[in-house]
Amino acid sequence: MKLATEAYVDGSWVPGTRRFAVYDPFDNAMIAEVTAGDAALADTAIEAAARAFPAWRAKPAPERGKLLGALAAKMLGEVDRLALLCTRENGKALSESVAEVKYAASFLTWFAAEAERAYGEAIPSSYSDQRLLVQREPVGPCALITPWNFPYAMLTRKLGAALAAGCTAVAKPAELTPLSALALAQLADEVGIPRGVINIVPTDHASEVGDRFVASPVIRKLSFTGSTAVGRSLLRACADDLKRVSLELGGNAPFVVLADADLDKAVAGAMIAKFRNAGQSCVAANRFIIEAPIAKVFANKLVEQVSQLTPGRGSDPGVDLGPVIDDRAVAKLIKLIDDAVEQGARIIHGASPDGRSRLISPVVLDGITSDMAIWREEIFGPVVALRTAKNESDALAQANDTEYGLVSYIYATDAARLTRFIDGLETGMVGVNEGLVSTAQAPFGGIKHSGFGREGSRHGLDDYTALKYVATRL
Ligand code: ADP
């Protein structure tokens, strides 16, 4: 299938007045030049979503679900092509791109079925001649803004819920990875999702398009996944119009291993939680907090596993660690590592990157303290930061010592300890002896500066629906 490089608006491929280049993060080779959406194109997309809304919301939910199911099937039928495209523009190992396409399709499958289960309520009234009913209605056309780290899944997680609820959408993929979103639009077009229901506006001028989305009174909801700084400013911008907002923002996940943990399981979980997508995930383990008696053994076992990782071009066989996304990411990693070392951390595996390549060999740092930037900031790379905790309560205090609250990982075997720990964690999600929590049937989302709203699960439709309560006197 031809690579889609135009904007997808109102069921048509629309060339803009300007284009921008998309590069392979591994070698900086140009992959394609893509239409650069501007304010005018954003407006056209918004109008298309508004026009398509009445018919889409009126379509019986099972029929909306059927179209979502068809789109999921189409994705699964083209896993290899879609995965390769993702690896090209994002850099991740091909096996991870394959997993991402399947994960992305799973949201469409999940919400295809949820569409049919958007139940209302009948409430017992205080009067015999009165009926109280609650029905769920779609909020209206929605704006979806997604990041580059999971170009398919971050989009389908929102689109699946929006479309199932009966909303239409204008979406802006990240400027670094617009091709996956456009490939998805091609498939949506093929399966017959009506024109205007999905509109994709790629751009390298994110705020120009984003500003139109949030300023438009037609758009009733914004769902954003990305940095806390941008999320906060979009939230402010949505205030005047009182738009519904869901924000899935940064994380600073603690990965706690208590002394009674099964260490082999903890190391296996750590490898997934840290190195998936080369560490570029908002649920990536950011701060390893290890109870003192096992700190050394855990570090040794982890280094043993880490040294077996193979960095390289994502599409090459045997590679399990692709490049980081861009030069800014490399510079940030160097800064975090150097700052930690200057303040007394030790590199126990690897070396600070030389800055000449985006391919970062894993680094393991020990002796992290709360004064270091690496303790406060999202690392977003294959760098492990280890800190020792004196005991359980010290570990919990360290785990909660962050403004974020997306996910926390805890490894232990004692049930009472685990229960205390789970209850004490300030977080939206917990992995208990589990390094990967993301799945379509569970509610994904955070608290504190990690944002609000839940994606996936039976709660996922809530953000896209409004309750209409009807009191009827007979
Ligand atoms: P990241 O650090 O993951 O790149 P960003 O928050 O910068 O996080 O980007 C996430 C998404 O937000 C991307 O699609 C990006 O283009 C978009 N974005 C960035 N700045 C703005 C803005 N001012 N308005 C709207 N969208 C924006």
Side-chain angles (χ1 to χ4, degrees):
M1 192 185 281
K2 194 172 157 281
L3 193 62
T5 60
E6 320 294 3
Y8 181 68
V9 174
D10 205 15
S12 300
W13 297 97
V14 184
T17 49
R18 201 172 58 75
R19 302 180 84 74
F20 68 102
V22 179
Y23 298 97
D24 183 332
F26 179 77
D27 57 10
N28 234 12
M30 192 175 83
I31 307 169
E33 287 188 324
V34 173
T35 286
D38 54 11
L41 195 57
D43 288 346
T44 310
I46 293 166
E47 286 157 20
R51 270 197 311 275
F53 177 59
W56 183 249
R57 77 174 286 182
K59 201 183 253 312
E63 284 180 36
R64 291 199 301 265
K66 224 174 261 163
L67 284 168
L68 287 174
L71 181 54
K74 201 83 184 163
M75 287 187 82
L76 294 173
E78 301 207 27
V79 170
D80 293 339
R81 180 178 70 84
L82 296 174
L84 199 56
L85 182 60
C86 179
T87 288
R88 281 220 74 193
E89 66 174 357
N90 168 284
K92 68 176 75 179
L94 195 54
S95 56
E96 292 197 84
S97 288
V98 168
E100 181 184 341
V101 174
K102 293 178 180 169
Y103 174 54
S106 76
F107 284 105
L108 301 174
T109 309
W110 173 261
F111 282 112
E114 281 300 286
E116 301 184 26
R117 294 191 286 260
Y119 302 136
E121 293 170 49
I123 301 169
S125 167
S126 306
Y127 310 100
S128 58
D129 63 344
Q130 192 190 42
R131 293 292 177 270
L132 308 180
L133 294 176
V134 178
Q135 61 200 49
R136 305 225 285 180
E137 299 191 344
V139 292
C142 300
L144 316 176
I145 299 181
T146 52
W148 49 263
N149 57 349
F150 293 90
Y152 293 116
M154 295 303 97
L155 185 54
T156 57
R157 191 153 80 173
K158 299 184 191 306
L159 264 185
L163 268 55
C167 302
T168 54
V170 291
K172 192 206 78 58
E175 49 274 42
L176 298 172
T177 58
L179 296 168
S180 301
L182 295 173
L184 185 71
Q186 274 177 319
L187 301 185
D189 195 74
E190 268 186 22
V191 302
I193 291 183
R195 56 191 273 197
V197 171
I198 298 175
N199 303 276
I200 312 272
V201 185
T203 185
D204 58 344
H205 287 179
S207 62
E208 184 179 344
V209 169
D211 286 353
R212 301 305 290 186
F213 285 180
V214 295
S216 166
V218 167
I219 299 295
R220 294 313 318 146
K221 179 197 164 63
L222 168 73
S223 178
F224 171 81
T225 298
S227 61
T228 297
V230 172
R232 187 180 284 124
S233 84
L234 289 172
L235 178 60
R236 282 203 187 99
C238 286
D240 283 344
D241 190 37
L242 295 171
K243 271 191 211 339
R244 296 269 289 265
V245 180
S246 332
L247 301 172
E248 203 268 275
L249 308 175
N252 182 2
F255 189 103
V256 179
V257 187
L258 297 181
D260 56 309
D262 177 326
L263 288 194
D264 291 329
K265 280 193 187 151
V267 169
M271 294 301 291
I272 298 168
K274 179 74 246 182
F275 291 103
R276 194 163 70 109
N277 206 19
Q280 303 171 108
S281 153
C282 48
V283 289
N286 215 56
R287 300 171 297 135
F288 285 83
I289 300 163
I290 319 295
E291 202 172 359
I294 50 142
K296 222 178 174 67
V297 192
F298 178 83
N300 290 342
K301 279 180 181 278
L302 186 67
V303 165
E304 203 181 298
Q305 291 296 311
V306 169
S307 57
Q308 285 169 31
L309 290 171
T310 308
R313 182 195 286 274
S315 51
D316 285 349
V319 166
D320 37 29
L321 206 59
V324 294
I325 191 73
D326 60 10
D327 295 338
R328 224 163 40 116
V330 177
K332 179 174 182 191
L333 291 174
I334 294 173
K335 206 171 114 225
L336 289 177
I337 295 169
D338 291 352
D339 167 77
V341 169
E342 259 166 44
Q343 299 197 61
R346 291 177 309 283
I347 296 182
I348 60 169
H349 176 78
S352 187
D354 61 15
R356 284 205 296 265
S357 165
R358 295 192 187 141
L359 213 52
I360 305 291
S361 291
V363 175
V364 182
L365 290 158
D366 199 3
I368 298 302
T369 67
S370 56
D371 300 326
M372 299 171 184
I374 205 165
W375 183 257
R376 305 263 155 232
E377 294 178 25
E378 264 189 311
I379 300 172
F380 249 59
V383 177
V384 176
L386 293 170
R387 182 173 176 189
T388 303
K390 286 198 287 283
N391 51 35
E392 179 190 324
S393 60
D394 184 30
L396 182 62
Q398 289 188 22
N400 287 336
D401 178 25
T402 171
E403 67 198 10
Y404 295 103
L406 189 57
V407 64
S408 305
Y409 304 93
I410 164 74
Y411 277 75
T413 51
D414 181 276
R417 265 189 130 183
L418 275 174
T419 306
R420 277 196 302 272
F421 218 92
I422 293 164
D423 288 354
L425 283 168
E426 295 165 11
T427 191
M429 302 178 282
V430 188
V432 181
N433 298 321
E434 173 61 78
L436 180 64
V437 298
S438 312
T439 176
Q441 60 265 46
F444 188 103
I447 60 170
K448 295 161 73 179
H449 286 195
S450 293
F452 42 77
R454 292 295 179 267
E455 298 192 297
S457 84
R458 72 186 179 85
H459 304 286
L461 284 189
D462 292 349
D463 287 354
Y464 295 88
T465 49
L467 297 181
K468 182 182 276 175
Y469 151 58
V470 185
T472 304
R473 197 60 82 156
L474 302 173

